[in-house]
């Protein structure tokens, strides 16, 4: 890895990305800046450390692969790279066919007609959804809020 001794604080992420196409070793500086944050996000959404590390690696591969287009279009590097990470997490979830299994008791409660007004049950569901990782939350919302199979 090429070190930007004393320069890493002065160079923006976009500048480092741009330079990495001339000197590929410089890309390691982006990895060093964002890897721990990416891993924390991936771990909070995937059950496995191994899968999380794979997802982070795939995200950096995509950042490098599509970086030239990003440089031309401009924008916020953090938002763009976070979106790439999000897409990699979704891809991994689809690949492993993540399934959420509800207990029979919860399943029957959710399917039973409610005695409460709609807004009360929605508040309850939203409070439950807030405690889940975003992948599980999206799956359950599709099933129980939007009525998808």
């Amino acid at each position: 890895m090429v070190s930007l001794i004393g320069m890493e604080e002065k160079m923006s992420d976009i500048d480092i990305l741009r330079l990495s196409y001339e000197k590929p070793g410089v890309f390691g500086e982006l990895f060093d800046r964002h890897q721990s944050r990416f891993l924390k996000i991936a771990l909070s959404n995937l059950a496995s450390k191994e899968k999380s590390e794979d997802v982070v690696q795939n995200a950096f591969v995509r950042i490098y692969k599509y970086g030239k287009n990003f440089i031309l279009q401009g924008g916020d590097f953090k938002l763009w790279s976070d979106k790439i990470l999000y897409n990699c997490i979704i891809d991994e979830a689809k690949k492993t066919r993540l399934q959420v299994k509800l207990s029979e008791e919860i399943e029957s409660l959710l399917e039973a007609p409610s005695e409460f007004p709609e807004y009360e049950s929605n508040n309850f569901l939203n409070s439950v959804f807030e405690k889940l990782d975003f992948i599980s939350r999206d799956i359950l919302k599709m099933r129980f809020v939007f009525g998808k199979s």
Side-chain angles (χ1 to χ4, degrees), residues 38-120:
F38 277 20
L39 189 56
K40 184 178 179 181
I41 293 168
L43 280 169
S44 70
N45 291 289
L46 300 169
S48 163
K49 182 178 181 182
E50 223 173 70
K51 287 181 183 179
S52 297
E53 289 170 345
D54 289 344
V55 161
V56 170
Q57 182 178 11
N58 289 337
F60 280 104
V61 168
R62 288 184 189 179
I63 288 169
Y64 191 79
K65 182 177 179 180
Y66 299 110
K68 287 183 180 180
N69 291 336
F70 173 74
I71 291 168
L72 292 174
Q73 295 173 359
D76 185 323
F77 179 85
K78 186 178 182 290
L79 291 175
W80 176 73
S81 62
D82 285 354
K83 181 65 176 173
I84 289 175
L85 176 63
Y86 173 81
N87 289 337
C88 289
I89 291 169
I90 296 297
D91 290 348
E92 180 62 33
K94 287 178 184 175
K95 187 168 49 174
T96 58
R97 299 206 176 263
L98 179 67
Q99 295 183 4
V100 177
K101 179 68 178 152
L102 298 176
S103 71
E104 289 179 22
E105 181 181 7
I106 292 175
E107 189 79 46
S108 66
L109 285 173
L110 291 170
E111 290 178 357
S114 176
E115 300 173 21
F116 304 102
E118 177 106 14
Y119 70 91
E120 287 183 25

Side-chain angles (χ1 to χ4, degrees), residues 1-5 7-39 56-57 59-68 70-71 75-82 84-85:
M1 177 172 80
V2 174
S3 178
L4 301 174
I5 300 171
M7 292 180 64
E8 62 268 351
E9 293 180 42
K10 297 177 185 175
M11 291 185 73
S12 70
D13 292 331
I14 295 172
D15 290 337
I16 293 172
L17 182 60
R18 185 178 292 116
L19 182 60
S20 72
Y21 291 108
E22 296 170 26
K23 299 176 183 179
V26 174
F27 190 76
E29 294 291 334
L30 280 179
F31 183 85
D32 291 343
R33 284 185 182 184
H34 299 282
Q35 183 264 344
S36 62
R37 183 174 62 82
F38 277 20
L39 189 56
V56 170
Q57 182 178 11
F60 280 104
V61 168
R62 288 184 189 179
I63 288 169
Y64 191 79
K65 182 177 179 180
Y66 299 110
K68 287 183 180 180
F70 173 74
I71 291 168
D76 185 323
F77 179 85
K78 186 178 182 290
L79 291 175
W80 176 73
S81 62
D82 285 354
I84 289 175
L85 176 63

